[in-house]
Amino acid sequence: MALVPLSYNVRSLWVRKSATFLTVLGIGATVAVLAGVLALRSGFQGLFRDNGRDDIAVFLRQGSTNEGDSAFTRERAEILTKTLDVFEQDASGKPLVSTETYLAVRMFKTDGGETNVPVRGVQPTTFAIFGDDVRVLEGRTFTLGADEVIVGDKIASRLRDGGLGDTIQFNTTPFRVVGVFHHAGAFSSEIWGDRDRLMEALERPVLNRVIGRIKPGVDIGWDDEDDKPKSGLALQLDADPQVPCKVMTERQYLMSQSAALGAVLLVLGQVLAIIMGIAAVFTATNTMLSALAARTREIGILLSLGFKPWAIFLSFLFESMLLGLFGGVVGCVLAYPIHGTETGTMNFNTFTEVAFAFRLTPELLAQAVGFSIVLGLLGGAWPAFRAASMEPTRTMRRE
Amino acid sequence: MPWRLVFKNITKHWLRSTLTVGSIVLAIFLLCLLRSLVVALDAGVRASAVDRLVVQSSVSLFVYLPESYEAKIAEVDGVRTVCRWNWFGGYYQEPSNFFAQFATDVDDFLTAYPEVEVIEGSVEDFRRERQACLVGADTASRFGFKVGDNVPLIGALFPRTDGQPWNFKVAGIYRSKKTNVDNSTLFFHTEYLEKALESGESGGPSGVGIFVVQLEPGADRVAVAGAIDEQFAGGPQRTQTNTEAEFQAQFVSMVGNVPLFVSSIGMGVMIAILLAALNTMLMAAREQTRDVGVLKALGFSDGSVFGLMITQSLILCGLGGAMGILLAKATEPVLIYLLSTTFPGYAVTGETLQLAVFVTLGIGVFAGITPAWRAKNLQVITALRATA
């Protein structure tokens, strides 16, 4: 006979229902909070990471960290689009490259608050570059040269004047909303219109970025870990005498945009997990200590029946782990309703609002349950050690 | 009431008592921390001056207003001074060393912002020298800037054509008496920036970010704001004139759901400690069943048995809460320092402490009441028959 039967532990938890229930709920609350923070982070980062493409290159001014503070004069942008021989071509042989203007525009939300919405002036080739990733859901796309815009589906209903048929005033020029478009990523929180019309209405003297679909085999060569050019096109353009600039893949660009907030949320999650985790370990220890006190005689009996101290130790540890496991499952159940909930937060790089949904992935749930099991094990370690070091004669003598 | 017994009961299971108190300490501390973060978010709004208006582009934070607006705004009735503010957007050595820098009209700035108090160096030097700057005390201590130092800043938004950093001379270090101005900003002369742009030494956008208007005493804020916006309604750039509080509030509004999010975390924390405290008290009560029987047999009233149980809960929670509050207050200076760029205005306010006391007492009562009620209604016979 080696191990104490596991059913003994399960029954023991059942006998002490109220303590078990409260401990499990306590661990559950801790795990739910942690899972919530991580789901927020995963939703936000996923929006950027999963929707960036590796075959699209983004060109920014040297030293800028986002498209808001990047700038190219028309001439410099033209040099890039005309002279670089790295872009894919469409059926008629035109290179798939376009220049964009970008401005965070002040707008009112339907709930009355103010927000900054990215307004992007694009060219027809922009749609060709993104292909089916950007598609109009309602209405139609804007007409070239007209004062018309299309609004991303995530913000169309959140903005006052953002719906189909509404009019948005940019400085002194009114633009009509003629369509609502969908994109799985951050574009769905933007307003798009004709580049030249928007540049004039918003008095933008410069373009903000150049993007293009890259031919297969071209090495972009941006090192996003060190945030510097490493090889290929990136190295070449970094030292370009005419138009020195930064180039990276769209995915790398988008990931750099979500890095700051992602890091803040990760730190917040860790701080909360540590502080609340310690409190949860204390509770679990208390519960196991009281289980120990109530079963002192039973332990004596087990020991005199021939169970070894290490079996007793494992038995108590197992019971505590069960507490943690149940707590983790309860926590996941508590946190689950937030999965898919839409929320908005600020992209601090560009001061614009991004709409996204909380996302609880299976890995996150596994992490949360793993964390709760660790809490259980930590909480049970000391009581289990105490149980294992008891002497049979002394324990049995107690009434 | 048997006070000695209260004390004995708590110390008998010292480990359990310590762990319970420990988890309450952590939870109350966390509660204070989270609330202080939310408080920090709109600290600037609450401290805003009533005699200042901010004129900005009605289109975007990133659109500049024409220089010519300054004189036109100054002519509006009720306007005392007009001060230009331009975001410089530079960094010290590394982009991650972020702190705000503004180019401003120094004389008007110093008049309009009496809360900015120069604690080291000289205001006169700051007024006189074109390359002089005033640095917030937090930023000065973060990078070790001293009066008389040269601070090189790389202009990300205003890159110098020679590729060199901009040079600023620290003329003074300030500390703000109110939270609407943080202690991490660097202020310098608009003229320095202007001259460099004119001579082509630097590239970058021209125009003015915002105008801060100081009102004449007794001027009607709404009327002045209306008159300013009216003037520019036909372009070239439409303006939006707000009180300083409204201007600050728009940044809070942009942060969106963060307060709600932090409050939900706070609720989670509270539920978790509530359960922990309740758990301990129930365990304690179960063990004391026989004691209660003995007390009752000796003639103690139901009321004093009730009091015995609830007092134990209140003492444990009160001790934890008090220590949690102390911890929150003790870490305040450290957190103010650490969070000076992300949450300027972090403060553990009196209201937060009141909330913490209230929560502590609430948990103490809630956790103690069930076991106390049970003990009160316990039959002597049943109680005495109970095994430990």
Side-chain angles (χ1 to χ4, degrees), chain B residues 24 57 61 259 340 344 362 374:
Chain B
I24 295 172
S57 156
L61 262 181
S340 64
R374 256 190 223 166

Side-chain angles (χ1 to χ4, degrees), chain B residues 155-195:
Chain B
L157 191 55
F158 296 95
R160 289 183 78 94
T161 32
D162 56 7
Q164 294 301 305
W166 292 71
N167 262 310
F168 296 95
K169 192 171 170 218
V170 180
I173 290 169
Y174 77 86
R175 188 167 274 292
S176 172
K177 284 184 262 181
K178 295 204 296 184
T179 45
N180 56 328
V181 178
D182 63 29
N183 288 316
S184 57
T185 307
L186 181 151
F187 295 101
F188 68 97
H189 291 257
T190 298
E191 289 78 13
Y192 182 28
L193 184 63
E194 252 178 3
K195 286 275 173 353

Side-chain angles (χ1 to χ4, degrees), chain A residues 192-309:
Chain A
W192 284 20
D194 176 35
R195 188 196 71 174
D196 295 324
R197 286 304 307 141
L198 283 173
M199 280 179 84
E200 196 179 316
L202 295 170
E203 293 184 51
R204 306 303 291 159
V206 290
L207 293 157
N208 289 79
R209 70 170 190 179
V210 176
I211 60 164
R213 180 104 68 85
I214 298 296
K215 280 186 209 165
V218 172
D219 173 30
I220 293 182
W222 180 262
D223 181 356
D224 50 355
E225 305 249 305
D226 290 345
D227 202 25
K228 62 170 199 263
K230 196 175 63 190
S231 60
L233 194 60
L235 212 53
Q236 177 200 329
L237 285 175
D238 185 56
D240 192 89
Q242 269 187 301
V243 190
C245 62
K246 268 165 99 161
V247 58
M248 56 187 86
T249 67
E250 194 201 16
R251 188 194 302 275
Q252 287 172 328
Y253 172 71
L254 290 173
M255 281 172 73
S256 73
Q257 295 302 293
S258 63
L261 185 61
V264 168
L265 288 177
L266 187 64
V267 170
L268 178 69
Q270 283 167 343
V271 169
L272 284 173
I274 292 171
I275 299 184
M276 289 186 73
I278 295 175
V281 167
F282 286 177
T283 314
T285 306
N286 268 345
T287 305
M288 291 309 295
L289 280 177
S290 102
L292 176 69
R295 277 187 280 159
T296 309
R297 258 161 75 92
E298 289 172 35
I299 294 167
I301 295 172
L302 287 172
L303 285 170
S304 41
L305 280 175
F307 281 102
K308 295 275 178 282

Side-chain angles (χ1 to χ4, degrees), chain A residues 18-19 22-23 25-26 40 61 104-106 114 116 171 203 276 278 282-283 285-287 289-290 343 382, chain B residues 15-16 19-20 23 26 56-60 156 236-238 240 250 253-254 257 261 275-276 279 283 286:
Chain A
S18 73
L22 292 173
T23 314
L25 266 189
L40 183 70
R61 173 177 72 90
V105 169
R106 179 197 303 277
E114 269 193 62
N116 287 326
N171 196 15
E203 293 184 51
M276 289 186 73
I278 295 175
F282 286 177
T283 314
T285 306
N286 268 345
T287 305
L289 280 177
S290 102
T343 185
W382 170 245
Chain B
L15 181 59
R16 181 171 70 206
L19 292 176
T20 309
S23 54
L26 289 173
Q56 55 183 332
S57 156
S58 74
V59 177
S60 165
Q237 273 299 332
R238 294 197 310 141
Q240 180 173 339
Q250 65 181 354
S253 156
M254 277 180 221
N257 297 333
F261 174 64
L275 295 172
N279 195 10
M283 285 191 280
R286 203 177 301 117

